[in-house]
Amino acid sequence: MVSSAFRTVRSEEIFGAARDLMPGGVSSPVRAFKSVGGQPIVFDHVKGAYAYDVDGNQYIDYVGTWGPAIVGHAHPEVLGALHQALDKGTSFGAPCLQENILARMVIEAVPSIEMVRFVNSGTEACMSVLRLMRAFTGRDKIIKFSGCYHGHADMFLVQAGSGVATLGLPDSPGVPKTTTANTLTATYNDLEAVKALFEQNPNEIAGVILEPVVGNAGFIVPEAGFLAGLRELTREHNALLVFDEVMTGFRLAYGGAQQRFGITPDLTTLGKIIGGGLPVGAYGGRRDIMEMVAPAGPMYQAGTLSGNPLAMTAGIKTLEILNRPGTYEQLEKITKKLADGLVQVAHETGHAACGGQLGAMFGLFFTEGPVHSYEDAKRCDLAKFSRFHRGMLEQGIYLAPSQFEAGFTSLAHTDEDVERTLEAARAVLAKL
Ligand code: HOZ
């Protein structure tokens, strides 16, 4: 636990050198702490619910490597399986048995998935699923929602969440207007806006893609009837419904948001948890659609490292652990205690705040709320979030360094961790 002797000398040295070597000193923008200020912490190792930095500070970690660490970091069973797999080689570039095993587990778990293709990241899964939506329908336009993030492929960098929202960037330079001309955007939770887009673009829209529960504009849940309404509208217009469950898959329930809400999309993207901490993404869905993917069909998509035995092994073991009795009840209980506790502590210390939780995912906004969309989320007190984030860091609590990211818990987080977190929050918020 970080004490009054919070020192970050080594982190500063290492990050200082990184700045000269890599743009912004990082391999992915949000990690640079730009929106919350101060130097990022350089990690040395992770275990269970904790992260340890290069200065010897320990943190209760609610980022969980941005989602994959749902069974806890460096779980002994995952590491054991990986050690065995390592001895057989790191990559085959040929079919392996582990792909079948993980594919079967994913198909059995996720209601919409009858066939699956493994790729190497959530970005890759989403860019591939977009090509598939277009190939299957013969239409070019898609609808996405502001604040939803579907990776960094050109056609999704329109009012995107996550790092784009965190850094307050306009749509990225380098993305040709012609590439995004077919990306229509609507406000999340606004069914009427989607209806209007369908009416204005008859027979032109391939489908609607969304995070069924948003995690890249902060944590935002769908209002009653929103997902069902999208399901109806897409059917009515012969368009596809795609759930980007890169964050929510295996996190809100074993079968993801679609199982939890009882709405089955046509296609789904996955990532994070299904790789157990190694780089994996996947897209899958109805068999008749997936059979368009090469070499079964004409829609081309490929990858040298896709389905590699190490990543498949980590995913298999992670899902095996998650599928044991009681895991989701435990995740729900601990995460609810944390999310409710944070809002309560904020109110008791005199701050406007709202938040929520589903499964092992949570959020806290410094605003009266309610927050139903990215437009609402942008109205929250970002300066206060920055000070809260820094204060929590100094208390040994590692939160996502952006108001526009969700928080993640794991099976390794204990009641005691949550109580320590709430105590820290009380101490920090009382001084803000
Ligand atoms: N886009 C990721 C969160 N939504 C951040 C990934 C990272 O920085 O590792």
Side-chain angles (χ1 to χ4, degrees):
M1 197 69 181
V2 178
S3 65
S4 47
F6 179 61
R7 278 164 50 87
T8 55
V9 183
R10 240 347 243 146
S11 270
E12 280 160 40
E13 256 171 41
I14 295 172
F15 190 68
R19 277 205 169 110
D20 260 355
L21 303 169
M22 297 171 282
V26 287
S27 301
S28 187
V30 186
R31 298 177 197 179
F33 278 36
K34 269 195 132 170
S35 73
V36 289
Q39 291 267 332
I41 298 304
V42 176
F43 280 15
D44 179 68
H45 63 285
V46 287
K47 187 73 191 163
Y50 308 116
Y52 299 82
D53 72 15
V54 286
D55 290 280
N57 300 307
Q58 184 205 56
Y59 305 88
I60 302 174
D61 178 18
Y62 293 107
V63 177
T65 184
W66 299 95
I70 192 163
V71 297
H73 287 294
H75 191 288
E77 289 180 60
V78 177
L79 293 189
L82 278 173
H83 284 139
Q84 276 189 8
L86 251 180
D87 286 340
K88 293 186 171 188
T90 53
S91 176
F92 298 163
C96 67
L97 173 64
Q98 291 90 331
E99 289 171 284
N100 288 17
I101 299 173
L102 188 59
R104 192 160 287 124
M105 291 174 100
V106 167
I107 290 166
E108 279 171 10
V110 184
S112 66
I113 301 189
E114 294 172 351
M115 276 188 129
V116 65
R117 164 62 58 88
F118 292 114
V119 292
N120 301 286
S121 68
T123 288
E124 214 186 312
C126 291
M127 60 190 259
S128 307
V129 92
L130 174 55
R131 185 176 306 145
L132 182 56
M133 289 162 78
R134 290 172 165 165
F136 185 77
T137 58
R139 301 171 178 180
D140 286 343
K141 294 187 180 173
I142 57 148
I143 298 176
K144 79 174 279 291
F145 295 92
S146 51
C148 281
Y149 180 71
H150 306 294
H152 60 82
D154 283 0
M155 44 289 173
F156 289 125
L157 286 185
V158 182
Q159 296 186 41
S162 191
V164 183
T166 300
L167 301 175
L169 296 175
D171 298 338
S172 174
V175 176
K177 285 204 170 34
T178 45
T179 312
T180 51
N182 288 317
T183 307
L184 312 174
T185 54
T187 298
Y188 189 80
N189 272 325
D190 184 350
L191 207 50
E192 286 307 311
V194 180
K195 206 180 266 177
L197 286 174
F198 271 112
E199 277 159 16
Q200 289 153 18
N201 300 272
N203 302 317
E204 287 188 292
I205 296 173
V208 176
I209 184 166
L210 78 157
E211 298 178 68
V213 169
V214 183
N216 283 293
F219 172 82
I220 305 173
V221 294
E223 286 183 84
F226 180 59
L227 298 179
L230 292 177
R231 183 60 288 185
E232 256 173 56
L233 268 177
T234 44
R235 283 216 174 102
E236 194 184 311
H237 292 274
N238 293 318
L240 300 174
L241 180 63
V242 183
F243 280 4
D244 174 349
E245 296 229 43
V246 170
M247 271 190 184
T248 54
F250 296 93
R251 180 161 286 281
L252 301 193
Y254 192 66
Q258 55 197 270
Q259 182 189 48
R260 193 150 179 153
F261 288 95
I263 303 292
T264 306
D266 301 295
L267 292 166
T268 298
T269 57
L270 295 168
K272 301 193 187 280
I273 289 173
I274 58 159
L278 274 82
V280 181
Y283 61 103
R286 273 169 38 196
R287 181 176 291 273
D288 60 324
I289 307 177
M290 289 305 291
E291 277 177 343
M292 285 215 72
V293 179
M299 191 219 84
Y300 195 71
Q301 183 272 310
T304 297
L305 291 168
S306 298
N308 92 81
L310 284 185
M312 297 293 104
T313 297
I316 292 165
K317 190 47 84 180
T318 300
L319 297 198
E320 239 176 72
I321 297 168
L322 279 175
N323 203 19
R324 292 176 187 160
T327 49
Y328 285 90
E329 288 80 358
Q330 185 184 329
L331 289 167
E332 193 77 38
K333 191 166 148 262
I334 207 90
T335 316
K336 184 163 172 41
K337 175 170 170 164
L338 174 69
D340 289 353
L342 284 172
V343 173
Q344 190 183 335
V345 166
H347 289 163
E348 284 169 8
T349 47
H351 299 279
C354 68
Q357 157 276 337
L358 275 181
M361 191 169 172
F362 69 94
L364 174 74
F365 288 111
F366 287 113
T367 171
E368 296 285 354
V371 175
H372 294 308
S373 65
Y374 177 45
E375 288 67 20
D376 294 339
K378 280 195 284 195
R379 284 195 277 273
C380 68
D381 190 336
L382 295 176
K384 187 177 282 182
F385 177 81
S386 300
R387 284 181 280 135
F388 176 63
H389 182 272
R390 176 53 51 177
M392 291 296 271
L393 197 67
E394 290 176 6
Q395 294 282 329
I397 313 295
Y398 194 81
L399 299 171
S402 164
Q403 175 75 90
F404 301 119
E405 298 284 352
F408 298 128
T409 50
S410 77
L411 289 171
H413 286 87
T414 61
D415 274 317
E416 202 209 342
D417 291 326
V418 170
E419 278 147 27
R420 273 162 60 184
T421 305
L422 296 177
E423 256 173 55
R426 184 177 297 282
V428 172
L429 287 167
K431 286 198 203 131
L432 286 192

